[in-house]
Amino acid sequence: MSADAIVVGAGIVGAACAAELAARGMSVEVIEARGIGGGATAAGMGHIVVMNDSPAEFALARHSRELWLALAPHLREIDAFSRCGTLWIAEDDDELAAARAMHAAFASGGVRAHQLDAAALRDAEPALSHAMQGGLLIDDDAIVYAPAAAQFLLTRSPGAARIRVSTQCAVAAVDASESAACVTLANGERRTAAHVVVANGLAASALIDGVPLEAKKGHLLITDRYPGTLHHQVLELGYIKSAHHARGTSVAFNAQPRPTGQMLIGSSRQFGTLDPAVDMNVLGAMLRRASHYLPGIGALDAIRAWTGFRAATPDGLPVIGPARPADDRLWLATGHEGLGVTTSLGTAKLLAAQMFGEPMPFPLPDAAAFSAQRFAGAHVDD
């Protein structure tokens, strides 16, 4: 065998899985069609955020954020981590009520958060529109430069000496027998291991039957350097509905201060397209939405805009675990949608625990919440 485990994909989820397995003493080969930290990992914001759209999502995101905070000192050495907090913006009374409900849920789950009234919001973020009514600050959320984090996990984390990475190497098929798992490359070469972990985002559905993944296209724009314009990651409270429930094309306000002094502006979601070109109509709608919250944004110079594709499952939760019932050779770690960076480290812990037959590394309200078998007979809506 070429390794104890082969991980398909060197994005942040694949890198985290490889690092976790290597730290447990396994020899790991990572096979990546492009380069380390490419694809959705390179296209996203790198926001480490606790979300509570469902109990399972909350448990995974909360545990993962703790792992990121523990890793932070190492990532700060390579300028890849900043704890800026997340500020959810409430525009009206209904959204203030939503902020109070979120605060209560976070408090019951042990997540530090506190409410801001309109005056406190203006003090925290003077550039925001003074029409905003308040917000909810999540203190320990952070941002990470995910491509650099993926590189760190594969080359400098404990056990990294047991990881071998092959880039520019496309995988055509995976299969398994009772004794081994096998990866077939596009050039026909076959590599075997005790386990194969498929962690290559949208492409996973081409390798494993029955994984209902849908592409959600998103746009981002980055500005020139304007240090001090923004201090926290700021999002409208309507972002949660837009991110997980809207169909068709939608935009929502989401802005991030980069350590460079630049600002990332998002976000958008489009279905039914794999065209990577920037859609100027969507980008314009996204920026108009942002200017509603940040009135001065029109005066900032933009450097570039780009798109990426989130791999989404029908219920918005990732697939983490055996690819098939009673199969301990083929594994899945995909479908994280917009939370791949946040939940990558927790995903790796969860997958390794299943592989080694251990108890779950953190409490889950439903042990089958991330199982691939929950989609048996399901399909992605047209």
Side-chain angles (χ1 to χ4, degrees), residues 86-102 115-119 121-122 128-137 234-239 253 289 292-293:
T86 299
L87 185 50
W88 294 92
I89 309 301
E91 183 176 8
D92 52 33
D93 290 342
D94 287 344
E95 291 186 352
L96 279 174
R100 286 192 290 271
M102 184 185 292
Q115 298 226 217
L116 305 181
D117 61 17
L121 180 64
R122 288 194 291 272
L128 284 172
S129 167
H130 289 187
M132 300 299 127
Q133 297 301 300
L136 182 68
L137 179 60
V234 290
L235 304 90
E236 63 169 295
L237 274 157
Y239 174 89
F253 171 59
R289 187 64 181 169
H292 177 69
Y293 289 85

Side-chain angles (χ1 to χ4, degrees), residues 297-321:
I297 198 173
L300 307 184
D301 291 330
I303 299 297
R304 70 183 182 100
W306 66 92
T307 68
F309 296 91
R310 312 168 184 92
T313 64
D315 62 6
L317 294 175
V319 180
I320 308 166

Side-chain angles (χ1 to χ4, degrees), residues 113 124 136 154 161 221-222 229 238 256 271 280-281 305 313 325 355 380:
L136 182 68
L154 292 174
L221 177 144
I222 193 165
T229 301
Q256 179 187 97
F271 297 81
M280 296 307 295
N281 290 328
T313 64
M355 189 178 290
V380 177

